[in-house]
């Protein structure tokens, strides 16, 4: 069952400048950064709030590291802006299978590694009213050592 909006992905040409805009304009701080070589992006996750299911909601800023990446191609065609919406789930495998059974194309046969060690898959935008939709199971949060 989908439990929250995990994040909204925003494609940008210059990650550092876009991060500065969100910090200066809204006061958002960077929670996590990484380069995902498989997806060809450099990203920053800006935490918006905690959620009742123990997760959080983020803005994910995405700068392509190569023109042939999915985000690079999308950015060249559409320019900067909202790239996708992601819903959190405790069971990306089960929810993807349920959604596939309802006739929606799931883009990955098996979920892949996403930001911060999460497991992700995407739903085809043509089956979701023009919205690229991601399903996310967050990585387990490790309890602090005492």
């Amino acid at each position: 069952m989908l439990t929250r909006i995990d994040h909204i992905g925003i494609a940008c040409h210059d990650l550092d400048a876009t991060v500065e805009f969100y910090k200066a304009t809204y006061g958002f701080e960077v929670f996590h950064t990484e380069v995902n070589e498989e997806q060809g992006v450099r990203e920053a996750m800006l935490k918006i709030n905690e959620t009742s299911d123990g997760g959080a909601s983020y803005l994910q800023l995405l700068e392509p590291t190569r023109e042939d990446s999915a985000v690079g191609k999308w950015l060249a065609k559409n320019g900067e802006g909202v790239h996708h919406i992601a819903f959190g789930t405790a069971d990306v495998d089960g929810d993807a299978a349920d959604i596939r059974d309802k006739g929606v194309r799931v883009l990955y046969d098996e979920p892949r590694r996403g930001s911060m060690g999460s497991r992700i898959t995407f739903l085809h935008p043509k089956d979701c009213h023009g919205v690229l939709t991601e399903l996310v199971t967050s990585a387990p949060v490790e309890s602090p050592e005492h």
Side-chain angles (χ1 to χ4, degrees):
M1 177 175 76
L2 306 181
T3 58
R4 70 184 182 286
I5 295 175
D6 184 85
H7 67 270
I8 297 172
I10 299 171
C12 61
H13 291 290
D14 182 334
L15 184 64
D16 297 326
T18 307
V19 164
E20 285 307 313
F21 168 80
Y22 280 97
K23 286 173 78 172
T25 305
Y26 305 115
F28 297 153
E29 292 294 328
V30 174
F31 180 78
H32 176 81
T33 61
E34 71 180 82
V35 174
N36 186 320
E37 295 294 343
E38 180 185 0
Q39 294 182 20
V41 295
R42 187 168 76 105
E43 66 179 74
M45 297 293 274
L46 286 65
K47 186 185 244 181
I48 307 305
N49 67 323
E50 303 288 334
T51 61
S52 62
D53 67 357
S57 293
Y58 303 90
L59 285 181
Q60 179 187 44
L61 306 179
L62 300 160
E63 175 189 60
T65 58
R66 56 182 197 269
E67 291 178 10
D68 69 338
S69 70
V71 172
K73 291 175 187 176
W74 188 91
L75 194 56
K77 180 180 177 183
N78 299 291
E80 293 184 310
V82 175
H83 178 262
H84 67 275
I85 187 168
F87 294 109
T89 173
D91 182 10
V92 69
D93 298 275
D95 284 338
D98 290 346
I99 290 169
R100 180 181 284 122
D101 289 346
K102 293 174 183 169
V104 175
R105 288 174 281 179
V106 177
L107 299 184
Y108 303 152
D109 290 332
E110 295 292 326
R112 297 181 181 179
R113 182 195 175 283
S115 301
M116 300 183 292
S118 63
R119 296 183 69 242
I120 66 165
T121 194
F122 286 90
L123 309 178
H124 200 291
K126 289 185 179 177
D127 297 344
C128 299
H129 298 273
V131 178
L132 179 60
T133 303
E134 182 178 4
L135 304 180
V136 178
T137 296
S138 299
V141 178
E142 295 181 21
S143 55
E145 294 182 36
H146 296 278

